[in-house]
Amino acid sequence: MKSYRQRLVAVGIGVILVSFLFVFPYVGFFVNKQYAHVTTVSINVTGLDPQDPINLFIFAILFFGGIGLVVKGYA
C-alpha cells in the first residue's frame, strides 16, 4: 500500500487557505454593494484593493497550485 506524502498535502492545504485572502476582499466588495448608502468607515482587514482584478488571478494561481500539491501528495 502506497502512503501519501504528508508535507506536500500540508503545504497544499496551507496554500489553498492563503489563497482565500486574495478572494475575500473582491467578493466582499460586490456582496456589500447593497449597503453602499450606509455611511461608515469600512474596515479592510487584508489591506488589498477590493476592485483590483489581479487579486483573482493570484487567487487562481495559489488555489490551483495548492490543489496540485494535494493531488501530487496522494499520487
Side-chain angles (χ1 to χ4, degrees), residues 9-25:
V9 173
V11 170
I13 291 172
V15 169
I16 291 170
L17 291 175
V18 168
S19 72
F20 287 116
L21 291 175
F22 290 95
V23 79
F24 284 150

Side-chain angles (χ1 to χ4, degrees), residues 57-71:
F57 183 67
I58 295 170
F59 164 74
I61 289 174
L62 289 175
F63 184 76
F64 289 116
I67 294 289
L69 287 173
V70 170
V71 168

Side-chain angles (χ1 to χ4, degrees), residues 1-46:
M1 186 161 119
K2 196 183 223 185
S3 66
Y4 66 97
R5 297 179 185 142
Q6 292 178 351
R7 287 185 187 162
L8 283 178
V9 173
V11 170
I13 291 172
V15 169
I16 291 170
L17 291 175
V18 168
S19 72
F20 287 116
L21 291 175
F22 290 95
V23 79
F24 284 150
Y26 193 78
V27 172
F29 174 76
F30 290 107
V31 169
N32 289 326
K33 272 191 170 183
Q34 62 184 341
Y35 300 111
H37 64 282
V38 177
T39 57
T40 184
V41 177
S42 68
I43 299 171
N44 190 354
V45 177
T46 61

